[in-house]
Coordinates of all heavy atoms in Angstrom, one line a residue:
K1 N 0.9 -1.1 0.0 CA -0.1 -0.1 0.0 C 0.8 1.3 0.0 O 1.7 1.4 0.8 CB -0.8 -0.1 1.2 CG -1.9 1.0 1.3 CD -2.8 0.8 2.5 CE -3.9 1.8 2.5 NZ -4.9 1.7 3.6
V2 N 0.5 2.2 -1.0 CA 1.3 3.5 -0.9 C 0.5 4.6 -0.4 O -0.7 4.8 -0.7 CB 1.7 3.7 -2.4 CG1 2.4 5.2 -2.5 CG2 2.5 2.6 -3.0
I3 N 1.2 5.3 0.5 CA 0.4 6.5 1.0 C 1.2 7.8 0.5 O 2.3 7.9 0.6 CB 0.5 6.3 2.6 CG1 -0.2 5.0 3.1 CG2 -0.1 7.5 3.2 CD1 0.1 4.9 4.6
A4 N 0.2 8.7 0.1 CA 0.9 9.9 -0.4 C 1.3 10.7 0.7 O 0.7 10.7 1.8 CB -0.2 10.6 -1.4
N5 N 2.3 11.6 0.5 CA 2.8 12.5 1.6 C 2.3 13.9 1.1 O 2.8 14.5 0.3 CB 4.3 12.5 1.6 CG 4.8 13.4 2.7 OD1 4.1 14.2 3.2 ND2 6.1 13.2 3.0
P6 N 1.1 14.4 1.8 CA 0.5 15.6 1.4 C 1.5 16.9 1.6 O 1.3 17.9 1.2 CB -0.6 15.8 2.2 CG -0.3 14.9 3.4 CD 0.5 13.8 2.9
T7 N 2.6 16.6 2.4 CA 3.5 17.7 2.7 C 4.6 17.9 1.7 O 5.4 18.9 1.6 CB 4.2 17.7 4.1 OG1 5.0 16.5 4.1 CG2 3.1 17.6 5.2
L8 N 4.7 16.9 0.8 CA 5.7 17.0 -0.4 C 5.4 17.8 -1.4 O 4.3 17.6 -2.0 CB 6.2 15.5 -0.8 CG 7.3 15.4 -1.7 CD1 8.6 15.9 -1.0 CD2 7.4 14.1 -2.2
D9 N 6.2 18.8 -1.7 CA 5.9 19.8 -2.8 C 6.8 19.5 -3.9 O 8.0 19.2 -3.8 CB 5.9 21.2 -2.1 CG 5.6 22.3 -3.0 OD1 6.1 22.5 -4.1 OD2 4.5 22.9 -2.8
I10 N 6.5 20.0 -5.0 CA 7.4 19.8 -6.3 C 8.6 20.6 -6.0 O 9.7 20.3 -6.4 CB 6.7 20.3 -7.6 CG1 7.5 20.1 -8.8 CG2 6.4 21.8 -7.5 CD1 7.7 18.6 -9.1
N11 N 8.6 21.7 -5.2 CA 9.8 22.5 -5.0 C 10.7 21.7 -4.0 O 11.9 22.0 -4.0 CB 9.5 23.8 -4.4 CG 8.9 24.7 -5.3 OD1 9.1 24.7 -6.5 ND2 7.9 25.6 -4.9
D12 N 10.3 20.7 -3.3 CA 11.1 19.9 -2.5 C 11.8 18.9 -3.4 O 13.0 18.5 -3.0 CB 10.3 19.1 -1.5 CG 9.6 20.1 -0.5 OD1 10.2 21.1 -0.1 OD2 8.6 19.6 0.0
V13 N 11.3 18.6 -4.4 CA 11.9 17.5 -5.4 C 12.9 18.2 -6.2 O 14.0 17.8 -6.4 CB 10.8 16.9 -6.2 CG1 11.6 15.9 -7.2 CG2 9.9 16.1 -5.4
I14 N 12.7 19.4 -6.7 CA 13.6 20.1 -7.5 C 14.1 21.3 -6.7 O 13.5 22.3 -6.4 CB 12.8 20.9 -8.7 CG1 12.2 19.8 -9.7 CG2 13.8 21.7 -9.5 CD1 11.3 20.4 -10.7
S15 N 15.3 20.9 -6.1 CA 15.8 21.8 -5.1 C 17.0 22.8 -5.6 O 17.7 22.3 -6.4 CB 16.3 21.1 -3.9 OG 17.3 20.2 -4.4
D16 N 17.2 23.7 -4.9 CA 18.4 24.6 -5.0 C 18.8 25.0 -6.5 O 19.7 24.3 -6.9 CB 19.6 24.1 -4.3 CG 20.8 25.1 -4.2 OD1 20.4 26.3 -4.4 OD2 21.9 24.6 -4.0
N17 N 18.1 25.9 -7.3 CA 18.5 26.3 -8.5 C 19.5 27.3 -8.5 O 19.7 28.0 -9.4 CB 17.3 26.5 -9.3 CG 16.7 27.9 -9.0 OD1 17.0 28.5 -8.0 ND2 15.7 28.3 -9.7
D18 N 20.2 27.6 -7.3 CA 21.1 28.7 -7.2 C 20.5 30.1 -7.3 O 21.2 31.0 -7.5 CB 22.4 28.5 -8.1 CG 23.3 27.4 -7.7 OD1 23.2 27.0 -6.5 OD2 24.0 26.8 -8.6
N19 N 19.2 30.1 -7.4 CA 18.6 31.3 -7.5 C 18.9 32.1 -8.8 O 18.6 33.4 -8.9 CB 18.6 32.4 -6.4 CG 18.2 31.6 -5.1 OD1 17.0 31.1 -5.2 ND2 18.8 31.7 -4.0
I20 N 19.3 31.4 -9.9 CA 19.6 32.2 -11.1 C 18.4 32.2 -11.9 O 17.5 31.4 -11.7 CB 20.7 31.6 -11.9 CG1 20.3 30.1 -12.4 CG2 22.0 31.4 -11.1 CD1 21.4 29.6 -13.4
S21 N 18.3 33.3 -12.7 CA 17.1 33.4 -13.6 C 17.5 34.0 -14.9 O 18.5 34.7 -15.0 CB 15.9 34.2 -12.9 OG 16.4 35.6 -12.6
C22 N 16.6 33.9 -16.0 CA 17.0 34.4 -17.3 C 15.8 35.4 -17.7 O 14.7 35.0 -17.6 CB 17.2 33.4 -18.2 SG 18.6 32.2 -17.8
Y23 N 16.1 36.5 -18.4 CA 15.0 37.3 -18.8 C 15.5 38.1 -20.0 O 16.7 38.5 -20.0 CB 14.6 38.3 -17.6 CG 13.6 39.3 -17.9 CD1 12.2 38.9 -17.9 CD2 13.8 40.6 -18.5 CE1 11.2 39.7 -18.3 CE2 12.8 41.3 -18.9 CZ 11.4 40.9 -18.8 OH 10.4 41.8 -19.1
P24 N 14.6 38.3 -21.1 CA 13.4 37.9 -21.2 C 13.4 36.3 -21.5 O 14.3 35.9 -22.1 CB 12.8 38.7 -22.2 CG 14.0 38.9 -23.1 CD 15.1 39.1 -22.2
N25 N 12.3 35.7 -21.2 CA 12.2 34.2 -21.5 C 10.7 33.9 -21.8 O 9.9 34.0 -20.9 CB 12.7 33.4 -20.3 CG 12.8 31.9 -20.7 OD1 12.7 31.6 -21.7 ND2 13.1 31.1 -19.7
P26 N 10.3 33.6 -23.0 CA 11.3 33.3 -24.1 C 11.8 34.6 -24.6 O 11.5 35.7 -24.3 CB 10.2 32.8 -25.2 CG 8.9 33.0 -24.6 CD 9.0 33.4 -23.2
S27 N 13.0 34.4 -25.4 CA 13.6 35.5 -26.1 C 13.9 35.3 -27.6 O 13.7 34.3 -28.1 CB 15.0 35.7 -25.4 OG 15.9 34.8 -25.8
K28 N 14.4 36.2 -28.2 CA 14.8 36.2 -29.6 C 16.2 35.8 -29.7 O 16.8 35.8 -30.8 CB 14.6 37.4 -30.2 CG 13.2 38.0 -30.3 CD 12.4 37.1 -31.3 CE 11.0 37.7 -31.3 NZ 10.0 36.8 -32.0
G29 N 16.9 35.3 -28.6 CA 18.3 34.9 -28.6 C 19.2 35.8 -27.7 O 20.4 35.4 -27.5
V30 N 18.7 37.0 -27.4 CA 19.6 37.8 -26.4 C 18.7 38.0 -25.1 O 17.5 38.3 -25.1 CB 19.7 39.3 -27.1 CG1 20.3 40.2 -26.1 CG2 20.3 39.3 -28.4
F31 N 19.4 37.6 -24.0 CA 18.8 37.5 -22.7 C 19.9 37.8 -21.7 O 21.0 37.8 -22.0 CB 18.0 36.2 -22.5 CG 18.9 35.0 -22.5 CD1 19.7 34.5 -21.4 CD2 19.2 34.5 -23.9 CE1 20.2 33.4 -21.6 CE2 20.0 33.3 -23.8 CZ 20.5 32.8 -22.8
N32 N 19.5 38.1 -20.6 CA 20.3 38.4 -19.3 C 20.1 37.2 -18.4 O 19.1 36.7 -18.1 CB 20.0 39.6 -18.6 CG 20.3 40.8 -19.5 OD1 21.2 40.9 -20.2 ND2 19.5 41.9 -19.4
I33 N 21.4 36.8 -17.8 CA 21.3 35.9 -16.7 C 21.5 36.6 -15.4 O 22.5 37.5 -15.3 CB 22.4 34.8 -16.8 CG1 22.3 34.1 -18.1 CG2 22.6 34.0 -15.6 CD1 23.4 33.2 -18.4
Y34 N 20.6 36.4 -14.4 CA 20.7 37.3 -13.1 C 21.2 36.3 -12.0 O 20.8 35.1 -12.0 CB 19.3 37.8 -13.0 CG 18.8 39.0 -13.9 CD1 18.0 38.4 -14.8 CD2 19.3 40.2 -13.7 CE1 17.6 39.4 -15.8 CE2 18.8 41.1 -14.7 CZ 18.1 40.7 -15.7 OH 17.7 41.7 -16.5
N35 N 21.8 36.9 -11.1 CA 22.2 36.2 -9.9 C 23.1 35.1 -10.0 O 23.1 33.9 -9.4 CB 20.9 35.7 -9.0 CG 20.1 36.8 -8.6 OD1 20.5 37.9 -8.1 ND2 18.7 36.6 -8.7
A36 N 24.0 35.2 -10.9 CA 25.0 34.1 -11.2 C 26.4 34.6 -11.1 O 27.4 33.9 -11.5 CB 24.7 33.6 -12.7
S37 N 26.7 35.7 -10.5 CA 28.0 36.3 -10.3 C 28.8 35.3 -9.6 O 28.6 34.7 -8.7 CB 27.9 37.6 -9.5 OG 29.2 38.1 -9.4
G38 N 30.1 35.1 -10.2 CA 31.0 34.2 -9.6 C 30.8 32.7 -10.0 O 31.6 31.8 -9.6
K39 N 29.8 32.4 -10.9 CA 29.6 31.1 -11.2 C 30.1 30.8 -12.6 O 30.1 31.7 -13.4 CB 28.2 30.8 -11.0 CG 27.6 30.9 -9.7 CD 26.1 30.3 -9.7 CE 25.5 30.5 -8.4 NZ 26.2 30.6 -7.2
N40 N 30.6 29.6 -12.9 CA 30.9 29.3 -14.3 C 29.6 28.5 -14.8 O 29.3 27.5 -14.4 CB 32.1 28.2 -14.3 CG 32.6 27.9 -15.7 OD1 32.5 28.8 -16.6 ND2 33.3 26.8 -15.8
I41 N 29.1 29.2 -15.9 CA 27.8 28.6 -16.5 C 28.1 28.0 -17.8 O 29.1 28.4 -18.4 CB 26.6 29.5 -16.5 CG1 27.1 30.7 -17.4 CG2 26.3 30.1 -15.2 CD1 26.4 30.8 -18.8
S42 N 27.2 27.0 -18.1 CA 27.3 26.4 -19.5 C 25.9 26.4 -19.9 O 24.8 26.2 -19.1 CB 27.9 25.1 -19.6 OG 27.0 24.2 -18.8
I43 N 25.6 26.7 -21.3 CA 24.3 26.6 -21.8 C 24.4 25.6 -22.8 O 25.3 25.4 -23.7 CB 24.0 27.9 -22.6 CG1 24.0 29.0 -21.5 CG2 22.6 27.8 -23.3 CD1 23.7 30.4 -22.1
T44 N 23.4 24.6 -22.8 CA 23.3 23.4 -23.6 C 22.0 23.3 -24.3 O 21.0 24.0 -23.9 CB 23.3 22.1 -22.8 OG1 22.4 22.1 -21.7 CG2 24.8 22.1 -22.1
D45 N 22.0 22.7 -25.5 CA 20.7 22.7 -26.2 C 19.9 21.4 -25.7 O 20.3 20.8 -24.7 CB 21.0 22.5 -27.8 CG 21.8 21.2 -28.2 OD1 21.9 20.4 -27.4 OD2 22.3 21.3 -29.3
I46 N 18.9 21.2 -26.2 CA 17.9 20.1 -25.8 C 18.6 18.7 -25.8 O 18.3 17.8 -25.1 CB 16.6 20.1 -26.5 CG1 15.5 19.4 -25.9 CG2 16.7 19.7 -27.9 CD1 14.7 20.0 -24.8
L47 N 19.5 18.5 -26.7 CA 20.2 17.4 -26.8 C 21.6 17.1 -25.9 O 22.1 16.1 -25.8 CB 20.8 17.1 -28.2 CG 19.7 17.0 -29.3 CD1 20.3 16.9 -30.7 CD2 18.7 15.8 -29.0
G48 N 21.8 18.2 -25.1 CA 23.0 18.3 -24.2 C 24.2 18.8 -24.7 O 25.3 18.8 -24.1
K49 N 24.2 19.3 -26.0 CA 25.4 19.7 -26.6 C 25.7 21.2 -25.9 O 24.7 22.1 -26.0 CB 25.2 19.8 -28.1 CG 26.4 20.5 -28.8 CD 26.2 20.6 -30.3 CE 27.4 21.2 -31.0 NZ 27.1 21.6 -32.4
E50 N 26.8 21.5 -25.5 CA 27.2 22.8 -25.0 C 27.3 23.7 -26.1 O 28.1 23.5 -27.1 CB 28.4 22.8 -24.2 CG 28.7 24.0 -23.5 CD 30.2 24.0 -22.7 OE1 30.0 23.4 -21.6 OE2 31.2 24.3 -23.2
V51 N 26.6 24.9 -26.0 CA 26.7 25.9 -27.1 C 27.3 27.1 -26.6 O 27.6 28.0 -27.4 CB 25.3 26.2 -27.6 CG1 24.7 25.0 -28.3 CG2 24.3 26.8 -26.6
Y52 N 27.5 27.3 -25.3 CA 28.1 28.6 -24.7 C 28.6 28.2 -23.3 O 27.9 27.4 -22.5 CB 27.1 29.7 -24.6 CG 27.5 31.0 -24.2 CD1 28.0 31.8 -24.9 CD2 27.4 31.4 -22.8 CE1 28.3 33.2 -24.6 CE2 27.6 32.5 -22.4 CZ 28.2 33.5 -23.2 OH 28.7 34.7 -22.8
S53 N 29.6 28.7 -22.9 CA 30.1 28.8 -21.5 C 30.8 30.0 -21.2 O 31.4 30.7 -22.0 CB 31.1 27.5 -21.2 OG 32.2 27.6 -21.9
E54 N 30.8 30.3 -19.9 CA 31.4 31.6 -19.4 C 31.5 31.6 -18.0 O 30.7 31.1 -17.1 CB 30.5 32.8 -19.9 CG 31.0 34.1 -19.6 CD 32.1 34.6 -20.7 OE1 31.9 34.2 -21.8 OE2 33.0 35.2 -20.2
N55 N 32.5 32.3 -17.4 CA 32.6 32.7 -16.0 C 31.9 33.8 -15.8 O 32.4 34.9 -16.2 CB 34.0 32.6 -15.5 CG 34.2 32.8 -14.1 OD1 33.2 32.7 -13.3 ND2 35.3 32.8 -13.6
I56 N 30.8 33.9 -15.1 CA 30.1 35.1 -14.9 C 30.6 36.1 -13.9 O 30.9 35.5 -12.8 CB 28.5 34.7 -14.5 CG1 27.9 33.8 -15.5 CG2 27.7 35.9 -14.4 CD1 27.8 34.3 -16.9
K57 N 30.7 37.3 -14.2 CA 31.4 38.3 -13.3 C 30.5 39.4 -12.8 O 30.9 40.3 -12.1 CB 32.6 38.8 -14.1 CG 33.7 37.8 -14.4 CD 34.7 38.5 -15.2 CE 35.9 37.6 -15.5 NZ 35.7 36.3 -16.0
S58 N 29.1 39.2 -13.2 CA 28.2 40.2 -12.7 C 26.9 39.7 -12.4 O 26.7 38.6 -12.9 CB 28.2 41.5 -13.7 OG 27.5 41.1 -14.9
D59 N 26.1 40.4 -11.7 CA 24.8 39.8 -11.4 C 23.7 40.0 -12.4 O 22.7 39.4 -12.5 CB 24.2 40.5 -10.0 CG 24.8 39.9 -8.8 OD1 25.2 38.7 -8.9 OD2 24.9 40.7 -7.8
N60 N 24.0 40.7 -13.4 CA 23.2 40.9 -14.6 C 24.1 40.8 -15.8 O 24.7 41.7 -16.3 CB 22.6 42.3 -14.5 CG 21.7 42.6 -15.7 OD1 21.4 41.8 -16.5 ND2 21.2 43.9 -15.9
F61 N 24.2 39.5 -16.4 CA 25.1 39.2 -17.4 C 24.4 38.9 -18.8 O 23.5 38.1 -18.9 CB 25.9 37.9 -17.0 CG 27.1 37.6 -17.9 CD1 28.2 38.3 -17.8 CD2 26.9 36.7 -19.0 CE1 29.4 38.1 -18.6 CE2 28.0 36.4 -19.8 CZ 29.1 37.2 -19.6
P62 N 24.8 39.7 -19.8 CA 24.0 39.6 -21.1 C 24.7 38.5 -21.9 O 25.9 38.2 -21.9 CB 24.2 40.9 -21.8 CG 25.5 41.3 -21.2 CD 25.6 41.0 -19.7
V63 N 23.7 37.7 -22.6 CA 24.2 36.5 -23.4 C 23.5 36.7 -24.8 O 22.3 37.1 -24.9 CB 23.6 35.1 -22.8 CG1 24.0 34.0 -23.8 CG2 24.3 35.0 -21.4
N64 N 24.2 36.5 -25.8 CA 23.7 36.6 -27.1 C 23.9 35.2 -27.8 O 24.9 34.8 -28.3 CB 24.4 37.7 -28.0 CG 24.0 37.9 -29.4 OD1 23.3 37.1 -29.9 ND2 24.2 39.1 -29.8
L65 N 22.7 34.6 -28.1 CA 22.7 33.4 -28.8 C 21.8 33.6 -30.1 O 21.3 32.5 -30.6 CB 22.1 32.3 -28.0 CG 22.9 31.7 -26.7 CD1 22.1 30.9 -25.9 CD2 24.2 31.4 -27.0
K66 N 21.8 34.7 -30.7 CA 20.9 34.9 -31.9 C 21.4 34.1 -33.1 O 20.6 33.8 -33.8 CB 21.0 36.5 -32.3 CG 20.3 37.3 -31.4 CD 20.6 38.8 -31.6 CE 20.1 39.3 -33.0 NZ 20.2 40.7 -33.2
N67 N 22.6 33.6 -33.1 CA 23.0 32.8 -34.3 C 22.6 31.4 -34.0 O 23.1 30.5 -35.0 CB 24.5 33.0 -34.6 CG 24.9 34.4 -35.0 OD1 24.1 35.1 -35.6 ND2 25.9 34.9 -34.7
N68 N 22.1 31.0 -32.9 CA 21.8 29.6 -32.6 C 20.4 29.3 -33.1 O 19.5 30.3 -33.1 CB 21.9 29.2 -31.2 CG 23.3 29.3 -30.7 OD1 24.1 30.3 -30.7 ND2 23.7 28.1 -30.3
P69 N 20.0 28.1 -33.5 CA 18.6 27.8 -33.8 C 17.7 28.1 -32.8 O 18.0 28.0 -31.6 CB 18.7 26.3 -34.2 CG 20.2 26.0 -34.2 CD 20.9 26.9 -33.5
K70 N 16.5 28.3 -33.2 CA 15.4 28.5 -32.3 C 15.2 27.1 -31.5 O 15.5 26.1 -32.0 CB 14.1 28.7 -33.0 CG 14.0 30.1 -33.7 CD 12.8 30.3 -34.4 CE 12.8 31.6 -35.2 NZ 11.6 31.8 -35.9
G71 N 14.8 27.1 -30.3 CA 14.6 25.9 -29.5 C 14.7 26.1 -28.0 O 14.6 27.3 -27.5
I72 N 14.8 25.1 -27.3 CA 14.9 25.1 -25.9 C 16.4 24.9 -25.6 O 17.1 24.0 -26.1 CB 14.0 24.0 -25.3 CG1 12.6 24.3 -25.5 CG2 14.3 23.9 -23.7 CD1 11.6 23.1 -25.1
Y73 N 16.9 25.6 -24.6 CA 18.3 25.6 -24.0 C 18.2 25.6 -22.5 O 17.2 26.0 -21.9 CB 19.0 26.7 -24.6 CG 19.2 26.8 -26.0 CD1 18.3 27.3 -26.9 CD2 20.4 26.2 -26.7 CE1 18.4 27.2 -28.3 CE2 20.5 26.2 -28.0 CZ 19.6 26.8 -28.9 OH 19.7 26.7 -30.2
F74 N 19.2 25.0 -22.1 CA 19.3 25.0 -20.5 C 20.7 25.8 -20.1 O 21.7 25.5 -20.4 CB 19.4 23.6 -20.1 CG 18.1 22.8 -20.2 CD1 18.1 22.1 -21.4 CD2 17.0 22.9 -19.5 CE1 16.9 21.4 -21.9 CE2 15.9 22.2 -19.8 CZ 15.8 21.5 -20.9
V75 N 20.5 26.6 -19.0 CA 21.6 27.3 -18.3 C 21.9 26.6 -17.1 O 21.1 26.4 -16.3 CB 21.2 28.8 -18.0 CG1 22.3 29.5 -17.3 CG2 20.7 29.5 -19.2
N76 N 23.1 26.1 -17.0 CA 23.6 25.2 -16.0 C 24.6 25.9 -15.1 O 25.5 26.4 -15.9 CB 24.1 23.9 -16.5 CG 23.1 23.3 -17.5 OD1 22.0 22.8 -17.0 ND2 23.4 23.2 -18.8
T77 N 24.7 25.5 -13.9 CA 25.7 26.3 -13.0 C 26.7 25.2 -12.5 O 27.7 25.5 -11.9 CB 25.2 26.9 -11.9 OG1 24.5 25.9 -11.1 CG2 24.2 28.2 -12.3
G78 N 26.6 24.0 -13.0 CA 27.5 22.9 -12.4 C 27.0 22.1 -11.2 O 27.2 21.0 -10.9
N79 N 26.0 22.8 -10.5 CA 25.2 22.1 -9.4 C 24.3 21.2 -10.2 O 23.4 21.6 -10.9 CB 24.5 23.1 -8.7 CG 23.6 22.6 -7.5 OD1 23.3 21.4 -7.6 ND2 23.2 23.5 -6.6
K80 N 24.2 19.9 -9.8 CA 23.4 19.0 -10.6 C 22.0 19.3 -10.5 O 21.3 18.8 -11.3 CB 23.8 17.5 -10.1 CG 23.3 17.2 -8.7 CD 23.6 15.7 -8.4 CE 23.1 15.4 -7.0 NZ 23.3 14.0 -6.7
N81 N 21.5 20.0 -9.5 CA 20.1 20.3 -9.3 C 19.7 21.7 -9.9 O 18.7 22.2 -9.6 CB 19.7 20.3 -7.8 CG 19.8 18.9 -7.2 OD1 19.5 17.9 -7.9 ND2 20.2 18.7 -6.0
S82 N 20.7 22.3 -10.6 CA 20.4 23.7 -11.0 C 20.5 23.7 -12.4 O 21.7 23.7 -13.0 CB 21.6 24.6 -10.3 OG 21.5 25.8 -10.7
S83 N 19.3 24.1 -13.0 CA 19.3 24.5 -14.4 C 18.1 25.3 -14.7 O 17.1 25.2 -14.0 CB 19.4 23.2 -15.2 OG 18.4 22.9 -16.0
V84 N 18.2 26.3 -15.5 CA 17.1 27.1 -15.9 C 16.9 27.0 -17.5 O 17.7 27.1 -18.2 CB 17.4 28.7 -15.7 CG1 16.3 29.6 -16.1 CG2 17.6 28.8 -14.1
K85 N 15.6 26.7 -17.8 CA 15.3 26.6 -19.2 C 15.1 27.9 -19.8 O 14.3 28.8 -19.2 CB 14.0 25.8 -19.2 CG 13.5 25.5 -20.7 CD 12.3 24.4 -20.8 CE 11.1 25.1 -20.3 NZ 9.8 24.2 -20.5
I86 N 15.5 28.1 -21.0 CA 15.4 29.3 -21.8 C 14.9 28.9 -23.2 O 15.4 28.0 -23.8 CB 16.7 30.1 -21.9 CG1 16.5 31.4 -22.6 CG2 17.8 29.3 -22.5 CD1 16.0 32.6 -21.7
I87 N 13.9 29.6 -23.6 CA 13.2 29.3 -25.0 C 13.8 30.3 -25.8 O 13.6 31.7 -25.6 CB 11.7 29.2 -24.8 CG1 11.4 28.1 -23.9 CG2 11.2 29.1 -26.2 CD1 9.9 28.1 -23.6
I88 N 14.3 30.0 -27.1 CA 14.7 31.0 -28.0 C 13.6 30.9 -29.2 O 13.5 29.7 -29.8 CB 16.1 30.9 -28.5 CG1 17.1 31.0 -27.4 CG2 16.4 31.7 -29.8 CD1 18.6 30.8 -27.7
E89 N 13.0 31.9 -29.6 CA 11.9 31.9 -30.6 C 12.5 32.4 -32.0 O 13.4 33.4 -31.9 CB 10.8 32.8 -30.2 CG 10.1 32.3 -29.0 CD 8.9 33.3 -28.5 OE1 9.1 34.5 -28.7 OE2 7.8 32.7 -28.2

């Protein structure tokens, strides 16, 4: 018999995204990464291929992926529980 845990929230399962965010999202390929100062980020496509990496030096860091195809990308900080989905239209 399985008993559901009513106190378990989806935020408990997906933990600690390092509080980074991307704006605007969706974007046309140009967006800012916020709250990632001091982190080494990588951006991967939906297949896991790295398309961009950088050591972020400011809390509001601009990224230009206009030359990349439209689609879904992930901004990763190296923390296995940390990734932010960005959509390029």
Side-chain angles (χ1 to χ4, degrees):
K1 187 174 184 180
V2 177
I3 299 172
N5 184 348
T7 63
L8 186 63
D9 187 293
I10 189 68
N11 291 327
D12 295 329
V13 177
I14 302 172
S15 63
D16 189 21
N17 72 351
D18 287 336
N19 294 317
I20 65 169
S21 61
C22 299
Y23 183 81
N25 189 11
S27 78
K28 300 288 184 192
V30 177
F31 56 93
N32 290 322
I33 300 174
Y34 296 95
N35 299 321
S37 182
K39 297 185 183 343
N40 188 23
I41 61 105
S42 68
I43 300 176
T44 57
D45 65 14
I46 194 88
L47 300 175
K49 179 183 174 191
E50 186 177 277
V51 298
Y52 183 88
S53 68
E54 186 75 39
N55 186 3
I56 306 297
K57 294 177 176 50
S58 66
D59 282 331
N60 180 5
F61 189 81
V63 175
N64 184 341
L65 296 181
K66 285 172 58 172
N67 294 328
N68 290 64
K70 296 177 183 179
I72 297 173
Y73 294 84
F74 297 95
V75 178
N76 307 291
T77 64
N79 178 343
K80 70 177 184 175
N81 294 326
S82 179
S83 112
V84 175
K85 179 172 73 172
I86 184 89
I87 300 170
I88 297 179
E89 303 180 317

